[in-house]
Amino acid sequence: MGEITIYHHSLTLGNRDWTLWASGKGLIRLSFGREQELAAAWLRAYAPSHRIQEDRSVFAELGIIGRLESYFAGAAVSYDGIPLDIWGTPFQREVWNGLAAIAHGEVITYRELAARIGRPQAMRAVGTANGQNPLPVILPCHRVIGTNGTLTGYRGGLQLKQELLQLEGITHVGAAGHERFAF
């Protein structure tokens, strides 16, 4: 495979810096703040021969900027129709597609997510894949909580997870979780 162009654009949403990433096929990643080094390593793994180009227009054409701005303003937003180019193992993609089916304002447990994707015994693997989700917010991994009803694991930290849930009107989830998947 020859060199591919990876587009990116940074913006501030919810008082945080986020970066959108896309290939010519669609959105590949949404990274935030301290995650830039992780995003660079991820790009090297999946697209060893790439060049990066800043281009806001790519994301405007995808329709993602306006939807994310609406989401962070508190609106219920659907990401249906946004072209995604999801890079991961078949199992990870299965889990991430399961995330896409979690409705705005709904929370489910890792156990429920495993059952929904037809893998009821794979709770830990589902949790691990959830923690590697390249498109947080869009594939709403923040809507997955621990069986005991508390926040548990979020790459952006439990505070960000709680803030995202609060944007959706979910305030009953306990904050006493753990940072298992924070990295």
Side-chain angles (χ1 to χ4, degrees), residues 24-183:
K25 296 178 184 176
L27 200 59
I28 59 173
R29 191 170 189 90
L30 176 60
S31 57
F32 41 87
R34 65 184 182 190
E35 193 193 42
Q36 300 310 326
E37 286 181 30
L38 177 64
W42 181 81
L43 278 172
R44 284 190 303 274
Y46 284 99
S49 182
H50 68 274
R51 68 180 184 91
I52 297 175
Q53 179 179 327
E54 158 60 13
D55 191 341
R56 182 187 190 284
S57 69
V58 168
F59 303 98
E61 288 174 26
L62 290 174
I64 191 63
I65 294 173
R67 290 192 206 186
L68 285 171
E69 288 171 344
S70 293
Y71 176 82
F72 279 93
V77 172
S78 168
Y79 299 101
D80 291 347
I82 298 286
L84 304 178
D85 184 11
I86 301 174
W87 300 348
T89 68
F91 178 76
Q92 287 172 326
R93 290 193 309 265
E94 205 177 314
V95 171
W96 301 334
N97 286 329
L99 294 173
I102 305 171
H104 182 94
E106 175 188 16
V107 291
I108 66 171
T109 65
Y110 292 95
R111 180 185 311 273
E112 290 169 319
L113 179 57
R116 283 187 182 188
I117 67 166
R119 308 269 194 150
Q121 303 303 312
M123 285 185 317
R124 289 183 191 269
V126 163
T128 299
N130 198 54
Q132 296 167 340
N133 174 15
L135 291 165
V137 179
I138 297 156
L139 301 176
C141 52
H142 62 279
R143 296 178 187 155
V144 183
I145 62 172
T147 303
N148 64 359
T150 62
L151 299 176
T152 184
Y154 194 68
R155 192 167 62 231
L158 295 182
Q159 180 179 345
L160 177 56
K161 184 171 186 171
Q162 190 165 38
E163 290 170 11
L164 293 173
L165 291 173
Q166 287 173 347
L167 278 173
E168 299 181 25
I170 301 168
T171 58
H172 67 279
V173 179
H178 61 83
E179 299 275 353
R180 177 173 174 204
F181 297 112
F183 51 89

